[in-house]
Amino acid sequence: MAGTVKHSHLKSSWRCPSNIALVKYWGKRDFQKPMNPSLSFVLQNAYTETSVELHKDGDQKVEFYFEGVESAFGERIEQFLDYISVRLNWVHKYNFRIHSRNSFPHSAGIASSASSFGALALCLTELDFSWSGKPVESPEFWQMASEIARMGSGSACRSVYPGFSIWGKTQLFESCSDDFAVPILGGINPVFYGLQDAILMVDAGTKEVSSSVGHRMMDKHVYQHSRIAQAHENINALYLALLTGNQKKFVEVVENEALSLHAMMMTSNPSFILLKPNSLELIQRIRRFREKSGIPVCFTIDAGPNIHMLYFQENELDVKAFIERELLVFCENGKWIDDRIGKGPEVKSLPQHPPHEGAK
Ligand code: DP6
């Protein structure tokens, strides 16, 4: 395509949310393909805004500015551009000036790779589609953005849709794929569009073990086959719970997935434990509150110590009082983030930060 199409549109800006998995992606095969299917929803308040500008000045392939300051993340992006050049052959013809910012603090313990690669993939896909005259924001557009995002970070492929999405082949839909995520478009019981996520910050420090290292531990894991089978069973059960509005089943599956993810880490070789004493304290208190009050709250956990407490809009007042009363004392500096299910990415016009002094 490059060379035959006039590249007049050289800039694109998108906002893309982070997402939280309910059925967890853990373990890879081939290039950035998942060992098992996963299901997640996007957040509303935790997002990345990115603008990509293409140019031919100078010889620096990628300049990456995070909140106005040139950052070493540019090196990871260069590698990513190499991978995606298989799909977008024009990337080698330009230099990239990229500006990015997150809505959440860097140390918040929210995985930023999903929203970062999601936003970057949307910018690149928009440039590609607008040059080739293909309709932007068509189903093909979102699918390609999801596939490109996946090449940067697996979980990022689930960030480009509103609400819930699934990544990886399942028995649920023929359209499910290991190459890109698909949105769950209809049929979900409205109660789940009122999902709230209280992110309880146990430790905002950097992770002791990166996700990439963790995924690799599944290659020879003694429980690999049972974990794959369990994820399939859980995704089937969760999808049915989402359709039927079965909050009890939802709670059961979501907690089982979170603890299974950490069980895989604890039983891998070498083994690692990312949960902290306060993570366990929060887990126990959430369970006790649910038993006593009958309110359907539960927790999920990513590859870190922070607890995402999920609950429903109709219980907001009771749950927020519970957070204040019992949970904040177990959070680092009493920190938590009030988030909820989101509406997905949007096109953004990003004001440019002036390059940081001393930056090239
Ligand atoms: C525990 O998507 O961060 O959050 O593909 O290596 O970038 P890479 O891994 P990443 O893994 C996320 C794992 C998880 C579960 C999930 O989001 O499904």
Side-chain angles (χ1 to χ4, degrees), residues 314-348:
E314 67 216 32
N315 302 120
E316 189 170 356
L317 288 180
D318 288 331
V319 175
K320 283 194 169 158
F322 166 56
I323 295 174
E324 295 279 335
R325 190 175 64 240
E326 269 196 55
L327 303 186
L328 288 192
V329 25
F330 301 105
C331 300
E332 195 175 57
N333 304 320
K335 245 188 347 201
W336 73 288
I337 295 172
D338 187 6
D339 214 333
R340 49 162 292 127
I341 189 166
K343 296 188 178 68
E346 50 185 87
V347 190
K348 196 80 204 146

PDB file of all heavy atoms in Angstrom, residues 314-348:
ATOM      1  N   GLU A 314     -25.977  -0.905  42.517  1.00  0.00           N
ATOM      2  CA  GLU A 314     -27.074  -0.802  43.494  1.00  0.00           C
ATOM      3  C   GLU A 314     -26.573  -0.895  44.941  1.00  0.00           C
ATOM      4  O   GLU A 314     -27.293  -0.502  45.864  1.00  0.00           O
ATOM      5  CB  GLU A 314     -28.133  -1.885  43.210  1.00  0.00           C
ATOM      6  CG  GLU A 314     -27.614  -3.290  43.458  1.00  0.00           C
ATOM      7  CD  GLU A 314     -28.154  -4.330  42.473  1.00  0.00           C
ATOM      8  OE1 GLU A 314     -28.400  -3.977  41.306  1.00  0.00           O
ATOM      9  OE2 GLU A 314     -28.313  -5.489  42.880  1.00  0.00           O
ATOM     10  N   ASN A 315     -25.347  -1.404  45.138  1.00  0.00           N
ATOM     11  CA  ASN A 315     -24.800  -1.552  46.503  1.00  0.00           C
ATOM     12  C   ASN A 315     -23.730  -0.518  46.817  1.00  0.00           C
ATOM     13  O   ASN A 315     -22.996  -0.648  47.807  1.00  0.00           O
ATOM     14  CB  ASN A 315     -24.205  -2.959  46.680  1.00  0.00           C
ATOM     15  CG  ASN A 315     -25.228  -4.041  46.415  1.00  0.00           C
ATOM     16  OD1 ASN A 315     -25.060  -4.864  45.529  1.00  0.00           O
ATOM     17  ND2 ASN A 315     -26.320  -4.016  47.162  1.00  0.00           N
ATOM     18  N   GLU A 316     -23.649   0.519  45.973  1.00  0.00           N
ATOM     19  CA  GLU A 316     -22.535   1.456  46.069  1.00  0.00           C
ATOM     20  C   GLU A 316     -22.381   2.081  47.469  1.00  0.00           C
ATOM     21  O   GLU A 316     -21.275   2.116  48.020  1.00  0.00           O
ATOM     22  CB  GLU A 316     -22.706   2.552  45.015  1.00  0.00           C
ATOM     23  CG  GLU A 316     -21.487   3.424  44.918  1.00  0.00           C
ATOM     24  CD  GLU A 316     -21.509   4.366  43.714  1.00  0.00           C
ATOM     25  OE1 GLU A 316     -22.459   4.291  42.889  1.00  0.00           O
ATOM     26  OE2 GLU A 316     -20.567   5.165  43.619  1.00  0.00           O
ATOM     27  N   LEU A 317     -23.483   2.541  48.047  1.00  0.00           N
ATOM     28  CA  LEU A 317     -23.372   3.243  49.339  1.00  0.00           C
ATOM     29  C   LEU A 317     -22.844   2.325  50.429  1.00  0.00           C
ATOM     30  O   LEU A 317     -21.921   2.677  51.164  1.00  0.00           O
ATOM     31  CB  LEU A 317     -24.732   3.823  49.755  1.00  0.00           C
ATOM     32  CG  LEU A 317     -25.181   5.034  48.940  1.00  0.00           C
ATOM     33  CD1 LEU A 317     -26.532   5.541  49.430  1.00  0.00           C
ATOM     34  CD2 LEU A 317     -24.126   6.158  49.003  1.00  0.00           C
ATOM     35  N   ASP A 318     -23.422   1.101  50.498  1.00  0.00           N
ATOM     36  CA  ASP A 318     -22.986   0.144  51.534  1.00  0.00           C
ATOM     37  C   ASP A 318     -21.525  -0.235  51.345  1.00  0.00           C
ATOM     38  O   ASP A 318     -20.770  -0.335  52.303  1.00  0.00           O
ATOM     39  CB  ASP A 318     -23.830  -1.144  51.451  1.00  0.00           C
ATOM     40  CG  ASP A 318     -25.238  -0.895  51.956  1.00  0.00           C
ATOM     41  OD1 ASP A 318     -25.395  -0.017  52.825  1.00  0.00           O
ATOM     42  OD2 ASP A 318     -26.172  -1.565  51.466  1.00  0.00           O
ATOM     43  N   VAL A 319     -21.143  -0.458  50.086  1.00  0.00           N
ATOM     44  CA  VAL A 319     -19.767  -0.928  49.839  1.00  0.00           C
ATOM     45  C   VAL A 319     -18.767   0.191  50.108  1.00  0.00           C
ATOM     46  O   VAL A 319     -17.706  -0.033  50.704  1.00  0.00           O
ATOM     47  CB  VAL A 319     -19.628  -1.496  48.406  1.00  0.00           C
ATOM     48  CG1 VAL A 319     -18.183  -1.860  48.109  1.00  0.00           C
ATOM     49  CG2 VAL A 319     -20.508  -2.718  48.238  1.00  0.00           C
ATOM     50  N   LYS A 320     -19.112   1.421  49.738  1.00  0.00           N
ATOM     51  CA  LYS A 320     -18.176   2.527  49.994  1.00  0.00           C
ATOM     52  C   LYS A 320     -18.010   2.759  51.497  1.00  0.00           C
ATOM     53  O   LYS A 320     -16.904   3.054  51.975  1.00  0.00           O
ATOM     54  CB  LYS A 320     -18.615   3.783  49.263  1.00  0.00           C
ATOM     55  CG  LYS A 320     -18.272   3.680  47.778  1.00  0.00           C
ATOM     56  CD  LYS A 320     -18.367   4.985  47.044  1.00  0.00           C
ATOM     57  CE  LYS A 320     -17.740   4.845  45.656  1.00  0.00           C
ATOM     58  NZ  LYS A 320     -18.214   5.842  44.714  1.00  0.00           N
ATOM     59  N   ALA A 321     -19.085   2.582  52.238  1.00  0.00           N
ATOM     60  CA  ALA A 321     -18.982   2.720  53.710  1.00  0.00           C
ATOM     61  C   ALA A 321     -18.072   1.616  54.268  1.00  0.00           C
ATOM     62  O   ALA A 321     -17.251   1.856  55.160  1.00  0.00           O
ATOM     63  CB  ALA A 321     -20.377   2.647  54.335  1.00  0.00           C
ATOM     64  N   PHE A 322     -18.200   0.427  53.717  1.00  0.00           N
ATOM     65  CA  PHE A 322     -17.351  -0.713  54.127  1.00  0.00           C
ATOM     66  C   PHE A 322     -15.868  -0.424  53.814  1.00  0.00           C
ATOM     67  O   PHE A 322     -14.978  -0.669  54.647  1.00  0.00           O
ATOM     68  CB  PHE A 322     -17.852  -1.970  53.383  1.00  0.00           C
ATOM     69  CG  PHE A 322     -16.929  -3.147  53.403  1.00  0.00           C
ATOM     70  CD1 PHE A 322     -16.479  -3.688  54.604  1.00  0.00           C
ATOM     71  CD2 PHE A 322     -16.520  -3.744  52.203  1.00  0.00           C
ATOM     72  CE1 PHE A 322     -15.620  -4.803  54.604  1.00  0.00           C
ATOM     73  CE2 PHE A 322     -15.675  -4.843  52.199  1.00  0.00           C
ATOM     74  CZ  PHE A 322     -15.215  -5.370  53.405  1.00  0.00           C
ATOM     75  N   ILE A 323     -15.606   0.154  52.651  1.00  0.00           N
ATOM     76  CA  ILE A 323     -14.213   0.494  52.289  1.00  0.00           C
ATOM     77  C   ILE A 323     -13.630   1.455  53.330  1.00  0.00           C
ATOM     78  O   ILE A 323     -12.556   1.231  53.881  1.00  0.00           O
ATOM     79  CB  ILE A 323     -14.147   1.134  50.870  1.00  0.00           C
ATOM     80  CG1 ILE A 323     -14.576   0.129  49.795  1.00  0.00           C
ATOM     81  CG2 ILE A 323     -12.739   1.671  50.572  1.00  0.00           C
ATOM     82  CD1 ILE A 323     -14.682   0.691  48.380  1.00  0.00           C
ATOM     83  N   GLU A 324     -14.370   2.514  53.587  1.00  0.00           N
ATOM     84  CA  GLU A 324     -13.894   3.548  54.536  1.00  0.00           C
ATOM     85  C   GLU A 324     -13.683   2.948  55.923  1.00  0.00           C
ATOM     86  O   GLU A 324     -12.698   3.205  56.589  1.00  0.00           O
ATOM     87  CB  GLU A 324     -14.952   4.661  54.671  1.00  0.00           C
ATOM     88  CG  GLU A 324     -15.192   5.458  53.404  1.00  0.00           C
ATOM     89  CD  GLU A 324     -14.150   6.541  53.199  1.00  0.00           C
ATOM     90  OE1 GLU A 324     -13.562   6.983  54.198  1.00  0.00           O
ATOM     91  OE2 GLU A 324     -13.907   6.912  52.023  1.00  0.00           O
ATOM     92  N   ARG A 325     -14.641   2.132  56.324  1.00  0.00           N
ATOM     93  CA  ARG A 325     -14.658   1.634  57.705  1.00  0.00           C
ATOM     94  C   ARG A 325     -13.594   0.570  57.951  1.00  0.00           C
ATOM     95  O   ARG A 325     -12.919   0.590  58.970  1.00  0.00           O
ATOM     96  CB  ARG A 325     -16.059   1.041  57.945  1.00  0.00           C
ATOM     97  CG  ARG A 325     -16.396   0.684  59.367  1.00  0.00           C
ATOM     98  CD  ARG A 325     -17.851   0.238  59.479  1.00  0.00           C
ATOM     99  NE  ARG A 325     -18.133  -0.995  58.739  1.00  0.00           N
ATOM    100  CZ  ARG A 325     -19.012  -1.093  57.755  1.00  0.00           C
ATOM    101  NH1 ARG A 325     -19.698  -0.048  57.346  1.00  0.00           N
ATOM    102  NH2 ARG A 325     -19.202  -2.250  57.131  1.00  0.00           N
ATOM    103  N   GLU A 326     -13.404  -0.336  56.970  1.00  0.00           N
ATOM    104  CA  GLU A 326     -12.600  -1.533  57.259  1.00  0.00           C
ATOM    105  C   GLU A 326     -11.403  -1.761  56.365  1.00  0.00           C
ATOM    106  O   GLU A 326     -10.490  -2.486  56.731  1.00  0.00           O
ATOM    107  CB  GLU A 326     -13.502  -2.777  57.109  1.00  0.00           C
ATOM    108  CG  GLU A 326     -14.159  -3.176  58.385  1.00  0.00           C
ATOM    109  CD  GLU A 326     -14.696  -4.609  58.288  1.00  0.00           C
ATOM    110  OE1 GLU A 326     -13.919  -5.514  57.970  1.00  0.00           O
ATOM    111  OE2 GLU A 326     -15.903  -4.768  58.517  1.00  0.00           O
ATOM    112  N   LEU A 327     -11.421  -1.204  55.151  1.00  0.00           N
ATOM    113  CA  LEU A 327     -10.403  -1.635  54.200  1.00  0.00           C
ATOM    114  C   LEU A 327      -9.231  -0.662  54.036  1.00  0.00           C
ATOM    115  O   LEU A 327      -8.107  -1.077  53.784  1.00  0.00           O
ATOM    116  CB  LEU A 327     -11.033  -1.912  52.820  1.00  0.00           C
ATOM    117  CG  LEU A 327     -12.163  -2.950  52.802  1.00  0.00           C
ATOM    118  CD1 LEU A 327     -12.610  -3.240  51.375  1.00  0.00           C
ATOM    119  CD2 LEU A 327     -11.740  -4.259  53.485  1.00  0.00           C
ATOM    120  N   LEU A 328      -9.519   0.635  54.182  1.00  0.00           N
ATOM    121  CA  LEU A 328      -8.474   1.626  53.867  1.00  0.00           C
ATOM    122  C   LEU A 328      -7.228   1.470  54.718  1.00  0.00           C
ATOM    123  O   LEU A 328      -6.125   1.763  54.273  1.00  0.00           O
ATOM    124  CB  LEU A 328      -9.036   3.047  53.995  1.00  0.00           C
ATOM    125  CG  LEU A 328     -10.009   3.428  52.881  1.00  0.00           C
ATOM    126  CD1 LEU A 328     -10.296   4.922  52.901  1.00  0.00           C
ATOM    127  CD2 LEU A 328      -9.480   3.015  51.507  1.00  0.00           C
ATOM    128  N   VAL A 329      -7.393   0.961  55.929  1.00  0.00           N
ATOM    129  CA  VAL A 329      -6.240   0.803  56.811  1.00  0.00           C
ATOM    130  C   VAL A 329      -5.245  -0.232  56.259  1.00  0.00           C
ATOM    131  O   VAL A 329      -4.062  -0.185  56.586  1.00  0.00           O
ATOM    132  CB  VAL A 329      -6.697   0.530  58.276  1.00  0.00           C
ATOM    133  CG1 VAL A 329      -8.039  -0.072  58.324  1.00  0.00           C
ATOM    134  CG2 VAL A 329      -5.767  -0.323  59.070  1.00  0.00           C
ATOM    135  N   PHE A 330      -5.704  -1.098  55.357  1.00  0.00           N
ATOM    136  CA  PHE A 330      -4.798  -2.093  54.761  1.00  0.00           C
ATOM    137  C   PHE A 330      -4.230  -1.630  53.411  1.00  0.00           C
ATOM    138  O   PHE A 330      -3.522  -2.378  52.741  1.00  0.00           O
ATOM    139  CB  PHE A 330      -5.510  -3.438  54.597  1.00  0.00           C
ATOM    140  CG  PHE A 330      -6.006  -3.961  55.929  1.00  0.00           C
ATOM    141  CD1 PHE A 330      -7.352  -3.910  56.259  1.00  0.00           C
ATOM    142  CD2 PHE A 330      -5.097  -4.447  56.863  1.00  0.00           C
ATOM    143  CE1 PHE A 330      -7.795  -4.357  57.491  1.00  0.00           C
ATOM    144  CE2 PHE A 330      -5.528  -4.885  58.106  1.00  0.00           C
ATOM    145  CZ  PHE A 330      -6.882  -4.841  58.425  1.00  0.00           C
ATOM    146  N   CYS A 331      -4.584  -0.403  53.011  1.00  0.00           N
ATOM    147  CA  CYS A 331      -4.081   0.131  51.737  1.00  0.00           C
ATOM    148  C   CYS A 331      -2.891   1.045  52.018  1.00  0.00           C
ATOM    149  O   CYS A 331      -2.887   1.742  53.039  1.00  0.00           O
ATOM    150  CB  CYS A 331      -5.156   0.945  51.022  1.00  0.00           C
ATOM    151  SG  CYS A 331      -6.623  -0.011  50.624  1.00  0.00           S
ATOM    152  N   GLU A 332      -1.920   1.049  51.078  1.00  0.00           N
ATOM    153  CA  GLU A 332      -0.740   1.882  51.272  1.00  0.00           C
ATOM    154  C   GLU A 332      -1.153   3.352  51.278  1.00  0.00           C
ATOM    155  O   GLU A 332      -1.761   3.825  50.305  1.00  0.00           O
ATOM    156  CB  GLU A 332       0.239   1.626  50.113  1.00  0.00           C
ATOM    157  CG  GLU A 332       1.617   2.130  50.375  1.00  0.00           C
ATOM    158  CD  GLU A 332       2.565   1.748  49.247  1.00  0.00           C
ATOM    159  OE1 GLU A 332       2.289   2.100  48.084  1.00  0.00           O
ATOM    160  OE2 GLU A 332       3.569   1.084  49.524  1.00  0.00           O
ATOM    161  N   ASN A 333      -0.845   4.035  52.344  1.00  0.00           N
ATOM    162  CA  ASN A 333      -1.253   5.440  52.547  1.00  0.00           C
ATOM    163  C   ASN A 333      -2.757   5.642  52.332  1.00  0.00           C
ATOM    164  O   ASN A 333      -3.184   6.690  51.859  1.00  0.00           O
ATOM    165  CB  ASN A 333      -0.491   6.383  51.607  1.00  0.00           C
ATOM    166  CG  ASN A 333       1.007   6.248  51.759  1.00  0.00           C
ATOM    167  OD1 ASN A 333       1.487   6.103  52.887  1.00  0.00           O
ATOM    168  ND2 ASN A 333       1.741   6.246  50.663  1.00  0.00           N
ATOM    169  N   GLY A 334      -3.535   4.626  52.633  1.00  0.00           N
ATOM    170  CA  GLY A 334      -4.998   4.724  52.509  1.00  0.00           C
ATOM    171  C   GLY A 334      -5.472   4.936  51.078  1.00  0.00           C
ATOM    172  O   GLY A 334      -6.590   5.415  50.837  1.00  0.00           O
ATOM    173  N   LYS A 335      -4.631   4.532  50.094  1.00  0.00           N
ATOM    174  CA  LYS A 335      -4.951   4.841  48.693  1.00  0.00           C
ATOM    175  C   LYS A 335      -5.840   3.797  48.024  1.00  0.00           C
ATOM    176  O   LYS A 335      -5.590   2.596  48.131  1.00  0.00           O
ATOM    177  CB  LYS A 335      -3.644   4.950  47.894  1.00  0.00           C
ATOM    178  CG  LYS A 335      -3.445   6.346  47.374  1.00  0.00           C
ATOM    179  CD  LYS A 335      -2.300   6.564  46.422  1.00  0.00           C
ATOM    180  CE  LYS A 335      -1.279   5.513  46.273  1.00  0.00           C
ATOM    181  NZ  LYS A 335      -0.018   5.793  45.771  1.00  0.00           N
ATOM    182  N   TRP A 336      -6.873   4.277  47.336  1.00  0.00           N
ATOM    183  CA  TRP A 336      -7.665   3.391  46.473  1.00  0.00           C
ATOM    184  C   TRP A 336      -8.196   4.181  45.297  1.00  0.00           C
ATOM    185  O   TRP A 336      -8.237   5.418  45.339  1.00  0.00           O
ATOM    186  CB  TRP A 336      -8.797   2.721  47.271  1.00  0.00           C
ATOM    187  CG  TRP A 336      -9.938   3.612  47.656  1.00  0.00           C
ATOM    188  CD1 TRP A 336      -9.922   4.604  48.604  1.00  0.00           C
ATOM    189  CD2 TRP A 336     -11.259   3.624  47.097  1.00  0.00           C
ATOM    190  NE1 TRP A 336     -11.152   5.220  48.683  1.00  0.00           N
ATOM    191  CE2 TRP A 336     -11.991   4.631  47.765  1.00  0.00           C
ATOM    192  CE3 TRP A 336     -11.895   2.862  46.117  1.00  0.00           C
ATOM    193  CZ2 TRP A 336     -13.332   4.917  47.475  1.00  0.00           C
ATOM    194  CZ3 TRP A 336     -13.235   3.136  45.826  1.00  0.00           C
ATOM    195  CH2 TRP A 336     -13.925   4.149  46.510  1.00  0.00           C
ATOM    196  N   ILE A 337      -8.559   3.488  44.228  1.00  0.00           N
ATOM    197  CA  ILE A 337      -9.049   4.154  43.013  1.00  0.00           C
ATOM    198  C   ILE A 337     -10.485   3.691  42.762  1.00  0.00           C
ATOM    199  O   ILE A 337     -10.769   2.491  42.786  1.00  0.00           O
ATOM    200  CB  ILE A 337      -8.147   3.827  41.801  1.00  0.00           C
ATOM    201  CG1 ILE A 337      -6.752   4.422  42.057  1.00  0.00           C
ATOM    202  CG2 ILE A 337      -8.727   4.358  40.504  1.00  0.00           C
ATOM    203  CD1 ILE A 337      -5.724   4.019  41.032  1.00  0.00           C
ATOM    204  N   ASP A 338     -11.336   4.671  42.562  1.00  0.00           N
ATOM    205  CA  ASP A 338     -12.765   4.411  42.384  1.00  0.00           C
ATOM    206  C   ASP A 338     -13.029   4.316  40.875  1.00  0.00           C
ATOM    207  O   ASP A 338     -13.030   5.332  40.190  1.00  0.00           O
ATOM    208  CB  ASP A 338     -13.501   5.620  42.997  1.00  0.00           C
ATOM    209  CG  ASP A 338     -14.989   5.417  43.043  1.00  0.00           C
ATOM    210  OD1 ASP A 338     -15.463   4.323  42.707  1.00  0.00           O
ATOM    211  OD2 ASP A 338     -15.687   6.378  43.443  1.00  0.00           O
ATOM    212  N   ASP A 339     -13.232   3.094  40.361  1.00  0.00           N
ATOM    213  CA  ASP A 339     -13.430   2.963  38.909  1.00  0.00           C
ATOM    214  C   ASP A 339     -14.663   2.107  38.630  1.00  0.00           C
ATOM    215  O   ASP A 339     -15.298   1.591  39.568  1.00  0.00           O
ATOM    216  CB  ASP A 339     -12.176   2.380  38.238  1.00  0.00           C
ATOM    217  CG  ASP A 339     -11.962   2.962  36.841  1.00  0.00           C
ATOM    218  OD1 ASP A 339     -12.951   3.360  36.216  1.00  0.00           O
ATOM    219  OD2 ASP A 339     -10.810   3.003  36.382  1.00  0.00           O
ATOM    220  N   ARG A 340     -14.990   1.954  37.363  1.00  0.00           N
ATOM    221  CA  ARG A 340     -16.187   1.200  36.970  1.00  0.00           C
ATOM    222  C   ARG A 340     -16.028   0.739  35.524  1.00  0.00           C
ATOM    223  O   ARG A 340     -15.094   1.155  34.837  1.00  0.00           O
ATOM    224  CB  ARG A 340     -17.445   2.063  37.112  1.00  0.00           C
ATOM    225  CG  ARG A 340     -17.348   3.455  36.461  1.00  0.00           C
ATOM    226  CD  ARG A 340     -18.684   4.099  36.246  1.00  0.00           C
ATOM    227  NE  ARG A 340     -19.394   3.358  35.226  1.00  0.00           N
ATOM    228  CZ  ARG A 340     -20.623   2.870  35.383  1.00  0.00           C
ATOM    229  NH1 ARG A 340     -21.303   3.063  36.474  1.00  0.00           N
ATOM    230  NH2 ARG A 340     -21.194   2.177  34.418  1.00  0.00           N
ATOM    231  N   ILE A 341     -16.970  -0.054  35.081  1.00  0.00           N
ATOM    232  CA  ILE A 341     -16.933  -0.529  33.695  1.00  0.00           C
ATOM    233  C   ILE A 341     -17.058   0.673  32.745  1.00  0.00           C
ATOM    234  O   ILE A 341     -17.817   1.615  33.024  1.00  0.00           O
ATOM    235  CB  ILE A 341     -18.055  -1.575  33.451  1.00  0.00           C
ATOM    236  CG1 ILE A 341     -17.908  -2.246  32.094  1.00  0.00           C
ATOM    237  CG2 ILE A 341     -19.448  -0.968  33.617  1.00  0.00           C
ATOM    238  CD1 ILE A 341     -18.774  -3.504  31.948  1.00  0.00           C
ATOM    239  N   GLY A 342     -16.291   0.624  31.642  1.00  0.00           N
ATOM    240  CA  GLY A 342     -16.214   1.808  30.785  1.00  0.00           C
ATOM    241  C   GLY A 342     -16.791   1.622  29.392  1.00  0.00           C
ATOM    242  O   GLY A 342     -17.204   0.524  29.003  1.00  0.00           O
ATOM    243  N   LYS A 343     -16.788   2.737  28.647  1.00  0.00           N
ATOM    244  CA  LYS A 343     -17.425   2.766  27.324  1.00  0.00           C
ATOM    245  C   LYS A 343     -16.437   2.549  26.183  1.00  0.00           C
ATOM    246  O   LYS A 343     -16.771   2.687  25.016  1.00  0.00           O
ATOM    247  CB  LYS A 343     -18.122   4.101  27.140  1.00  0.00           C
ATOM    248  CG  LYS A 343     -19.261   4.306  28.131  1.00  0.00           C
ATOM    249  CD  LYS A 343     -20.069   5.556  27.786  1.00  0.00           C
ATOM    250  CE  LYS A 343     -21.234   5.750  28.736  1.00  0.00           C
ATOM    251  NZ  LYS A 343     -20.813   6.078  30.098  1.00  0.00           N
ATOM    252  N   GLY A 344     -15.168   2.284  26.527  1.00  0.00           N
ATOM    253  CA  GLY A 344     -14.206   1.973  25.460  1.00  0.00           C
ATOM    254  C   GLY A 344     -13.445   3.190  24.975  1.00  0.00           C
ATOM    255  O   GLY A 344     -13.569   4.278  25.517  1.00  0.00           O
ATOM    256  N   PRO A 345     -12.643   2.982  23.926  1.00  0.00           N
ATOM    257  CA  PRO A 345     -11.748   4.050  23.460  1.00  0.00           C
ATOM    258  C   PRO A 345     -12.478   5.182  22.744  1.00  0.00           C
ATOM    259  O   PRO A 345     -13.623   5.016  22.313  1.00  0.00           O
ATOM    260  CB  PRO A 345     -10.827   3.328  22.476  1.00  0.00           C
ATOM    261  CG  PRO A 345     -11.447   2.043  22.175  1.00  0.00           C
ATOM    262  CD  PRO A 345     -12.510   1.752  23.158  1.00  0.00           C
ATOM    263  N   GLU A 346     -11.804   6.315  22.610  1.00  0.00           N
ATOM    264  CA  GLU A 346     -12.342   7.411  21.802  1.00  0.00           C
ATOM    265  C   GLU A 346     -11.212   8.176  21.112  1.00  0.00           C
ATOM    266  O   GLU A 346     -10.098   8.243  21.628  1.00  0.00           O
ATOM    267  CB  GLU A 346     -13.218   8.359  22.635  1.00  0.00           C
ATOM    268  CG  GLU A 346     -12.595   8.825  23.910  1.00  0.00           C
ATOM    269  CD  GLU A 346     -13.559   9.660  24.761  1.00  0.00           C
ATOM    270  OE1 GLU A 346     -14.315   9.065  25.551  1.00  0.00           O
ATOM    271  OE2 GLU A 346     -13.544  10.893  24.605  1.00  0.00           O
ATOM    272  N   VAL A 347     -11.559   8.765  19.965  1.00  0.00           N
ATOM    273  CA  VAL A 347     -10.573   9.588  19.253  1.00  0.00           C
ATOM    274  C   VAL A 347     -10.348  10.835  20.082  1.00  0.00           C
ATOM    275  O   VAL A 347     -11.276  11.376  20.665  1.00  0.00           O
ATOM    276  CB  VAL A 347     -11.113  10.040  17.878  1.00  0.00           C
ATOM    277  CG1 VAL A 347     -10.003  10.669  17.061  1.00  0.00           C
ATOM    278  CG2 VAL A 347     -11.722   8.897  17.129  1.00  0.00           C
ATOM    279  N   LYS A 348      -9.111  11.289  20.093  1.00  0.00           N
ATOM    280  CA  LYS A 348      -8.754  12.390  20.980  1.00  0.00           C
ATOM    281  C   LYS A 348      -7.856  13.346  20.233  1.00  0.00           C
ATOM    282  O   LYS A 348      -6.998  12.934  19.470  1.00  0.00           O
ATOM    283  CB  LYS A 348      -7.961  11.771  22.138  1.00  0.00           C
ATOM    284  CG  LYS A 348      -7.800  12.594  23.349  1.00  0.00           C
ATOM    285  CD  LYS A 348      -9.017  12.558  24.205  1.00  0.00           C
ATOM    286  CE  LYS A 348      -9.043  13.809  25.055  1.00  0.00           C
ATOM    287  NZ  LYS A 348     -10.373  14.289  25.288  1.00  0.00           N
TER     288      LYS A 348
END
